[in-house]
């Protein structure tokens, strides 16, 4: 089943990984289709990989192709409000995305994750839980593999990260469970109706879900839903937390499952991410022992609150992907340490106002190290901040004073362009130096 009965002419808008996955999927179908691609870039990525017989219009729109089409498949980066696409829609031509094609073809269970923050972590975590349980799982969508590319591998379970852009063009995706993690402003240039329009796009994830999972601590994620619902949050309801002998435990319906202190991921927001992942894992029958084993070992995606080194009682954590204020606030909020936080901040601040960090830092036992072009903007937020030129210098200074129970956290709240090619290069440099420095604190335990 592919849901393309009566379709002959298909136009794919946008190349790259998603567009190529669409073309390759259409070519694999048993029915013969007339496939054309439009990409307004002069040299679109992936053009050399197009199959023989697929025509490409590059550098401009081709209105005739659009208006002659039976179906238009739009890549998520292209707004449906684009005039050419509006004209096609007004002419009665159906516009869908790659996830809708996936929905019409998939014949195995699917769970999906959306939200403003944490999508990739929860998606990867559920995938790792499934692997630990011995399930052949495909993990992709807005992360890693394009959803359509995974269909040819015939997995037994699919775990998809879905953006609001992908959900805009998806209407028939049946999910065993769907979670909406949280809501904050993002992509407002795409949504003229503001936060409400953005959230409504994300709410589409629940349209055909058998189980809806929302965040009790962010009720903007709760759908108007007639089916089965559950939630996650920091009280003792559904997927939540309880106290056992003075320590916090993950719990399900008030029953303790695993101590929060055993979670390998760093940060309070990742406790919430673990609870959300558990809800999805339960929905598709992933063994809870396997789920707990995964949470004890899974240290996260590279550069996102990633535990790089944990030795001599000191944790070195790479959060280089925190290139803006909101990401760093998420990493710091609710952070609990036995010792001191050695926080590395700075880089290219992109003109941001960082004053919101002051009350967050005030609640922490923190030594702040400020580096890079705009490092001076952070030194005003706390007393006794240490100002250096580079991240490397900051790490050297921290290594001299850290003790067992401390954490060295790179969460810069800035872009990396003043000193690094990108946030990945910055994170890699942090991890490499942390590995070299780890033995320098061995005598301080």
């Amino acid at each position: 089943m592919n849901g393309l009965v009566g379709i002959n002419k298909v136009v794919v808008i946008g190349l790259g990984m998603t567009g190529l996955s669409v073309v390759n999927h259409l070519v694999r179908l048993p029915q013969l289709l007339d496939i054309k691609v439009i990409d307004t870039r002069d040299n679109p990525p992936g053009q050399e990989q197009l199959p023989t017989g697929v025509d490409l219009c590059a550098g401009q729109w081709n209105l005739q192709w659009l208006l002659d089409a039976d179906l238009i498949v739009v890549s998520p980066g292209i707004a449906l409000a684009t005039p050419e696409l509006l004209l096609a829609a007004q002419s009665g031509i159906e516009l869908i995305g790659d996830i809708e094609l996936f929905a019409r073809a998939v014949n195995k269970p699917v769970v999906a994750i959306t939200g403003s923050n944490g999508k990739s972590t929860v998606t990867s975590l559920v995938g790792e839980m499934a692997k630990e349980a011995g399930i052949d799982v495909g993990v992709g969508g807005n992360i890693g593999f394009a959803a359509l590319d995974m269909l040819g591998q015939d997995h037994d379970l699919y775990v998809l990260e879905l953006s609001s852009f992908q959900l805009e063009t998806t209407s028939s995706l049946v999910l065993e469970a769907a979670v909406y993690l949280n809501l904050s402003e993002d992509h407002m240039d795409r949504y003229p109706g503001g936060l409400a329009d953005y959230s409504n796009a994300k709410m589409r994830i629940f349209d055909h879900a058998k189980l809806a999972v929302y965040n009790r601590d962010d009720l903007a994620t709760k759908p108007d839903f007639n089916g089965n619902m559950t939630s996650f949050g920091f009280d003792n309801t559904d997927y939540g937390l309880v106290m056992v002998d003075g320590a916090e435990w993950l719990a399900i319906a008030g029953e303790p499952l695993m101590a929060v202190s055993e979670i390998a991921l760093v940060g309070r927001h990742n406790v919430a991410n673990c609870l959300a992942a558990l809800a999805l894992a339960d929905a598709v029958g992933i063994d809870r022992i396997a789920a707990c084993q995964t949470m004890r070992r899974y240290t996260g995606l590279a550069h996102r609150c990633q535990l790089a080194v944990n030795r001599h009682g000191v944790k070195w954590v790479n959060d280089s992907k925190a290139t803006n204020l909101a990401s760093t606030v998420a990493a710091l909020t609710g952070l609990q340490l036995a010792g001191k936080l050695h926080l590395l901040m700075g880089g290219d601040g992109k003109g941001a106002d960082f004053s919101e960090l002051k009350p967050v830092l005030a609640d922490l036992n923190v030594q702040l190290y400020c580096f890079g072009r705009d490092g001076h903007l952070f030194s005003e937020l706390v007393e006794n901040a240490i100002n250096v030129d580079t991240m490397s210098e900051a790490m050297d200074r921290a290594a001299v004073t850290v003790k067992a129970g401390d954490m060295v956290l790179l969460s810069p709240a800035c872009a990396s362009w003043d000193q690094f090619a990108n946030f990945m290069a910055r994170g890699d440099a942090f991890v490499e130096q942390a590995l070299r420095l780890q033995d320098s604190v061995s005598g301080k335990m």
Side-chain angles (χ1 to χ4, degrees):
M1 186 183 92
N2 60 56
L4 299 182
V5 176
I7 297 296
N8 179 31
K9 296 180 178 181
V10 182
V11 175
V12 179
I13 309 298
L15 257 180
M17 183 179 77
T18 299
L20 276 174
S21 76
V22 170
V23 170
N24 291 331
H25 171 73
L26 294 172
V27 168
R28 287 194 301 265
L29 296 178
Q31 70 195 90
L32 187 62
L33 296 169
D34 177 1
I35 306 166
K36 292 179 168 60
V37 177
I38 297 174
D39 193 306
T40 57
R41 293 170 289 188
D42 290 330
N43 293 294
Q47 58 184 316
E48 68 284 350
Q49 300 174 51
L50 281 174
T52 302
V54 176
D55 293 330
L56 169 66
C57 174
Q60 61 183 336
W61 288 94
N62 188 318
L63 278 175
Q64 194 59 53
W65 283 9
L66 287 175
L67 297 177
D68 284 346
D70 301 314
L71 180 70
I72 298 173
V73 186
V74 185
S75 291
I78 301 166
L80 296 179
T82 302
E84 291 81 1
L85 296 180
L86 282 175
L87 182 61
Q90 291 163 1
S91 301
I93 301 166
E94 185 181 17
L95 276 65
I96 66 172
D98 68 307
I99 301 302
E100 178 61 22
L101 279 178
F102 174 90
R104 297 180 185 187
V106 70
N107 59 4
K108 296 291 177 63
V110 185
V111 297
I113 298 95
T114 196
S116 298
N117 296 296
K119 297 186 295 295
S120 296
T121 295
V122 174
T123 302
S124 299
L125 182 56
V126 175
E128 291 299 312
M129 289 174 171
K131 291 175 187 175
E132 184 72 30
I135 298 170
D136 184 347
V137 61
V139 180
N142 195 48
I143 177 180
F145 295 101
L148 289 167
D149 284 345
M150 297 191 296
L151 283 177
Q153 300 167 29
D154 196 29
H155 297 290
D156 294 323
L157 171 68
Y158 295 92
V159 183
L160 300 182
E161 174 187 325
L162 298 180
S163 69
S164 58
F165 297 169
Q166 289 169 310
L167 288 165
E168 286 176 14
T169 53
T170 302
S171 58
S172 64
L173 181 62
V174 176
L175 298 170
E176 298 301 309
V179 64
Y180 185 171
L181 296 173
N182 46 59
L183 175 66
S184 61
E185 283 195 358
D186 203 359
H187 307 300
M188 291 297 100
D189 55 337
R190 178 90 168 235
Y191 296 100
L195 199 61
D197 279 1
Y198 173 53
S199 184
N200 287 339
K202 289 191 171 296
M203 283 290 179
R204 292 170 66 96
I205 199 170
F206 295 124
D207 284 354
H208 303 287
K210 297 177 184 178
L211 174 70
V213 184
Y214 67 93
N215 183 347
R216 290 194 304 279
D217 299 320
D218 187 351
L219 290 178
T221 65
K222 184 177 181 179
D224 182 9
F225 191 72
N226 293 324
N228 294 323
M229 278 202 294
T230 191
S231 61
F232 67 95
F234 291 150
D235 60 22
N236 61 2
T237 308
D238 293 344
Y239 292 82
L241 302 175
V242 296
M243 298 299 293
V244 178
D245 296 330
E248 271 190 330
W249 281 56
L250 303 179
I252 301 172
E255 291 296 317
L257 180 68
M258 174 181 146
V260 168
S261 61
E262 296 179 39
I263 296 172
L265 287 166
V266 175
R268 191 68 172 172
H269 60 300
N270 277 322
V271 177
N273 288 338
C274 284
L275 291 168
L278 279 171
L280 297 182
D282 277 353
V284 290
I286 294 173
D287 179 72
R288 284 185 182 168
I289 293 176
C292 289
Q293 288 173 337
T294 302
M295 289 186 287
R296 291 186 181 102
R297 67 165 175 80
Y298 180 70
T299 57
L301 297 166
H303 315 298
R304 299 183 184 187
C305 282
Q306 174 195 21
L307 182 59
V309 180
N310 184 8
R311 194 169 177 189
H312 306 307
V314 178
K315 293 180 178 180
W316 299 74
V317 178
N318 169 22
D319 191 31
S320 183
K321 192 158 191 313
T323 58
N324 57 45
L325 174 67
S327 294
T328 294
V329 169
L332 297 177
T333 301
L335 189 63
Q336 297 177 345
L337 291 175
K340 178 175 285 189
L341 174 66
H342 298 260
L343 177 61
L344 283 54
M345 304 187 75
D348 181 351
K350 298 176 289 187
D353 176 7
F354 296 107
S355 58
E356 185 182 330
L357 275 169
K358 191 166 186 175
V360 178
L361 294 172
D363 290 336
L364 296 169
N365 178 15
V366 62
Q367 174 61 64
L368 190 58
Y369 303 81
C370 309
F371 69 92
R373 193 183 76 185
D374 292 326
H376 65 280
L377 298 176
F378 300 96
S379 60
E380 305 166 359
L381 301 176
V382 299
E383 294 182 4
N384 304 318
I386 295 174
N387 293 280
V388 294
D389 289 331
T390 68
M391 181 186 74
S392 178
E393 291 177 75
M395 295 178 71
D396 285 341
R397 294 285 295 271
V400 172
T401 59
V402 289
K403 299 177 181 178
D406 289 359
M407 175 188 291
V408 182
L409 171 63
L410 170 67
S411 191
C414 291
S416 58
W417 305 314
D418 61 327
Q419 296 184 347
F420 297 91
N422 49 49
F423 75 83
M424 294 86 78
R426 179 172 61 189
D428 289 342
F430 174 87
V431 173
E432 182 180 346
Q433 186 166 349
L435 289 168
R436 290 200 308 268
L437 290 171
Q438 61 181 339
D439 290 324
S440 67
V441 300
S442 60
K444 305 173 189 173
M445 298 182 64

